[in-house]
Each structure stands twice: as structure tokens, then as C-alpha cells.
Amino acid sequence: MTTIGINVNTRAVKISVEPRTHLADFLRDQLNLTGTHLGCEHGVCGACTLLIDDMPARSCITLAAACDGAHITTIEGLDDDEITTELRAAFTREHALQCGYCTPGMLISARDLVLRLDTSDEHAIRVGLSGNLCRCTGYVGIVRAVRSVIDERRKRGIPPILGAGRERLGPVGSCNGAGTGREQAGLSSAGLEEERLGGTTTISDFVPDKVFDEHFTVASPPDKVFAMFGDIEQIAASLPGVSLTGNPTPQHVKGLIRVKLGPISAGFRGAARIERDPNTLSGRIVGTGNDQRSRSSTQGEIRYRLVPINGGIATRVELSIGYSLQGILAQIAREGLVRGLAARLTTEFARNLALRLSGNAASAPTRQAQSIDSASLIFEQLRILVRKILRRTQNG
Ligand code: FES
Ligand code: FES
């Protein structure tokens, strides 16, 4: 058996596999991801197509053990993907499926074409889909569906992405696999991760393992607070331990957050997708990050809502924080510790935000290089515990 660490649909998975197990069997049998279908098992029919490191690949002729370190996206991981959603609707509209057996693989290949092709050239689409066999439809509806999605997107001004968003060359999975691929590419793991989490990478939704709420108030009206929340650089500067690692856009940010949990210092390097709704003064940030030193990874989601208080001159900021943690830190970071960390982070963020909103940014400490130290949190929790015990003793 070989132990591999891969990221499947943005979730880090560490598992033992037989060296001869192919990726499709591994996903279907061990992870229950049965959306990846198996037809020929010889790399001919395309039913098993999925994305390895964002590139379409045949999972029936890919050994799971060879994917150590790779990012796998199956059809289940594209549930909320914009292009796949448009393709699904077009497939239904154009009667592009009958039994549906080829459809998951077909959608993944079609998505790649929608990303890459400048125009809806029928010949190019047929060539692009020639590795995906369909025994039912005769392909006419499939080609029509793909053409319509390309046409609609180009009409909406969405250009093709050169190389379909792939920033690396080489065989599928070659850059992220353990060992030679990395060294040949001349990239550190952290560098690869940063590259992977660049502006063109889709950050998928996920179901957090833990969710909790926080809130704070600021003495500024909601619209002013909402405008500040749109200023990524100001927000990052208000968050202790956070620094940006690239130029943010209104929808996307790359960064580094340093934390210290017990004896372990970690620096999670990652990226986040930003969504904002000015009508409801709410927003959502979904991010993912990895710490190479502790071999831990995390996914996080922060939802916020701004509620006017005191007749609208102040704001209550309501937060819902969700996260999943994998790796060594997951064993150390008990929920209470993470919640304490989040509470501390929220308090400091609220204080810095208030200073910036009042125009006293200079007084707000620049904490970018400073990590969030959990030692004081542990003592804080101990203090609370001791206080509780004393109170119980006094009452008893
Ligand atoms: S099952 Fe993989 S190509 Fe046919
Ligand atoms: S819809 Fe049946 S194989 Fe394509």
C-alpha cells in the first residue's frame, strides 16, 4: 500500500492505496464519488474524464498513487461551477443526453472547450469532443449545446482564457505530484500552491466541518462599513497576521495568514473568492489555504451581514464563520481553541476597523508580519476555566 495526499474537490484527503489502483476506482470505491463513470477502462471512451490539476484527464488509465500532491476535480466538484451550470442547462435544452452515461465526462471536456475556444466553431468542438464517445445521441445535440454556451458567454463579453487557465505545461499532474515533477518544474511546494491559487483558479464552495457565529459593533453607518469591506487592502491591514501576496481584485484575493497554535507556527498561503451584495449589505468570502511546514490545509468561509443600529448611525456586523481543517493542525486545533482564535481575531479586527473608519488608520497597528499567538488564548481559556471552577466551588 502507498499513502497519498491529494486534494479532491478542494478537500484534502490522505489515504492508502494499492499501487495498481487507478484513480477512477479510488474515487468511486473509496470516496464514493460515483459521478466519474467507467466505460472501456482503456482510455478510449472518455466516460471517466475528470480534471487533474485543472486539466481534463482519463482517470481509468491514471494510477491513484501517481496523483500524490495533485488537485482532482470530479463532476461533483463542479456542482457550483458557472460554466458547468450553463452547460447542464444547455444539455437539457438541446436534448444532448439520453442514458446520461457519457454525460459527466462529456461535461468536463465541454467545459474545457468553453474556457478555451474563441468562437463556437463546430469543427473545433467536434475535434475537442472526439475523445468522448456517446452511444445514444449522435452528438448533434451535444455540439449544439456547447456552441450555444460559447456564443452566449462571448456575447456577454466573457473572453476565452488562454490555455484554459492552465499556467503550467507538461503532462497532466506532472507539476503537483510528489517528487520529480516538482523538482523538474523548479518550483517549491509553496510556489506551486500560490500559482495554483492564482487569479484564474476557481475556488469551489464547500460544506464546513465547523460553523460558529461572531458579532461586533462599529460606530459608523452600514453603508460606510460596507464600502470599507470592499477595500481589500484596508481589510487585510486590519486583520492581525494577514498579508496580501498579490494584487487583489474585487472578486479575488491571494494572501498569507500566520497563526501559532500550541507549539506549531503555521503560515497558510491561499486565495479567496469575494462576493458582495449591496442590496442586502451582506457578503461572503470563501477561501482555501495550505501550510507546507505542518502539511495542513484549510478551507474557510465567512459570511457577513451589516445591520443598522442606533437609528442607523452605527452598525452591528454579524459574522458566520465556517471552516474545515486537515493535517497535523487538525489534531492540535481543538474547536475551542479555533473559536478563541476567531474571537480574538474578530475583536482586533473590529478595533482596527473602527480606527480606519474614523480616519485614524495611522493608529491602527500594522500587524501583517505578526502572527496570531494562541498561547495567550490558551491562558485566556485557562483563566475562564479557573473562574468557572471557582464560581462552581463558591456556589456549591
Ligand atoms: S473508462 Fe476511461 S476512457 Fe473509457
Ligand atoms: S447519452 Fe448515453 S452514452 Fe451518451
Side-chain angles (χ1 to χ4, degrees):
M1 297 287 265
T2 309
T3 301
I4 57 167
I6 58 174
N7 187 301
V8 181
N9 298 336
T10 73
R11 189 167 287 254
V13 176
K14 194 168 187 185
I15 206 156
S16 294
V17 288
E18 291 280 355
R20 66 173 180 275
T21 302
H22 63 58
L23 184 59
D25 273 348
F26 164 74
L27 294 167
R28 290 175 58 84
D29 298 343
Q30 299 206 42
L31 300 186
N32 209 23
L33 292 169
T34 52
T36 299
H37 290 172
L38 281 166
C40 65
E41 297 195 55
H42 282 83
V44 176
C45 73
C48 64
T49 307
L50 41 65
L51 299 176
I52 302 179
D53 297 337
D54 298 332
M55 290 178 253
R58 307 276 201 243
S59 55
C60 72
I61 50 171
T62 304
L63 294 172
C67 294
D68 190 20
H71 283 64
I72 312 292
T73 307
T74 68
I75 193 70
E76 290 93 342
L78 294 171
D79 268 353
D80 296 305
D81 175 73
E82 186 184 295
I83 297 174
T84 313
T85 303
E86 288 175 27
L87 279 167
R88 280 197 184 99
F91 268 50
T92 306
R93 192 175 61 237
E94 301 295 346
H95 306 291
L97 72 154
Q98 287 178 30
C99 76
Y101 201 83
C102 69
T103 310
M106 197 67 87
L107 283 171
I108 286 178
S109 297
R111 177 184 179 276
D112 192 56
L113 291 176
V114 173
L115 274 172
R116 268 192 300 123
L117 295 184
D118 196 10
T119 63
S120 63
D121 177 70
E122 180 171 344
H123 177 71
I125 292 171
R126 284 185 177 274
V127 170
L129 292 178
S130 59
N132 291 76
L133 305 184
C134 174
R135 65 179 185 176
C136 304
T137 63
Y139 303 100
V140 175
I142 294 174
V143 173
R144 236 181 1 228
V146 179
R147 292 191 75 180
S148 71
V149 173
I150 294 175
D151 284 340
E152 277 165 30
R153 290 181 72 82
R154 302 300 170 257
K155 244 184 258 161
R156 277 165 26 219
I158 304 172
I161 296 176
L162 197 63
R166 301 162 192 159
E167 294 170 357
R168 288 154 287 150
L169 296 176
V172 166
S174 64
C175 288
N176 270 348
T180 53
R182 264 183 197 142
E183 280 88 64
Q184 280 167 7
L187 290 167
S188 66
S189 302
L192 279 167
E193 197 53 34
E194 184 168 347
E195 183 186 30
R196 149 160 303 288
L197 296 170
T200 53
T201 303
T202 304
I203 296 170
S204 307
D205 289 333
F206 73 106
V207 181
D209 289 340
K210 307 275 187 232
V211 180
F212 54 89
D213 296 332
E214 285 287 342
H215 70 269
F216 63 90
T217 56
V218 268
S220 294
D223 53 344
K224 195 173 171 191
V225 179
F226 190 72
M228 176 67 87
F229 274 27
D231 188 333
I232 310 298
E233 273 154 3
Q234 295 261 27
I235 292 299
S238 303
L239 282 161
V242 169
S243 55
L244 299 179
T245 55
N247 291 330
T249 68
Q251 294 83 27
H252 192 269
V253 61
K254 286 197 289 181
L256 173 70
I257 178 161
R258 294 183 192 282
V259 292
K260 193 160 186 287
L261 284 162
I264 295 185
S265 295
F268 284 95
R269 190 176 288 274
R273 189 180 88 226
I274 300 162
E275 297 167 3
R276 284 161 57 77
D277 182 353
N279 296 322
T280 56
L281 295 181
S282 63
R284 182 172 172 238
I285 300 155
V286 187
T288 177
N290 282 281
D291 173 53
Q292 295 296 327
R293 276 176 66 196
S294 68
R295 291 169 162 250
S296 302
S297 63
T298 186
Q299 290 167 282
E301 178 191 72
I302 300 174
R303 291 173 188 266
Y304 65 84
R305 196 166 73 98
L306 308 182
V307 183
I309 54 171
N310 300 345
I313 58 163
T315 305
R316 176 182 160 97
V317 180
E318 295 181 344
L319 302 168
S320 167
I321 300 165
Y323 73 94
S324 299
L325 194 56
Q326 290 92 23
I328 292 172
L329 277 180
Q331 292 157 24
I332 292 168
R334 299 275 170 252
E335 190 181 351
L337 201 56
V338 177
R339 289 184 75 140
L341 188 65
R344 174 77 161 270
L345 189 60
T346 305
T347 306
E348 295 209 22
F349 173 64
R351 197 170 61 84
N352 294 339
L353 186 70
L355 285 169
R356 284 174 194 278
L357 282 164
S358 66
N360 280 327
S363 327
T366 305
R367 306 282 308 272
Q368 292 184 346
Q370 191 175 327
S371 66
I372 309 161
D373 191 341
S374 72
S376 54
L377 287 170
I378 294 170
F379 288 127
E380 216 167 86
Q381 292 203 335
L382 277 175
R383 253 201 313 272
I384 293 167
L385 191 67
V386 169
R387 221 179 291 145
K388 269 188 196 163
I389 293 169
L390 282 174
R391 215 174 294 141
R392 247 183 260 145
T393 317
Q394 281 162 3
N395 293 341

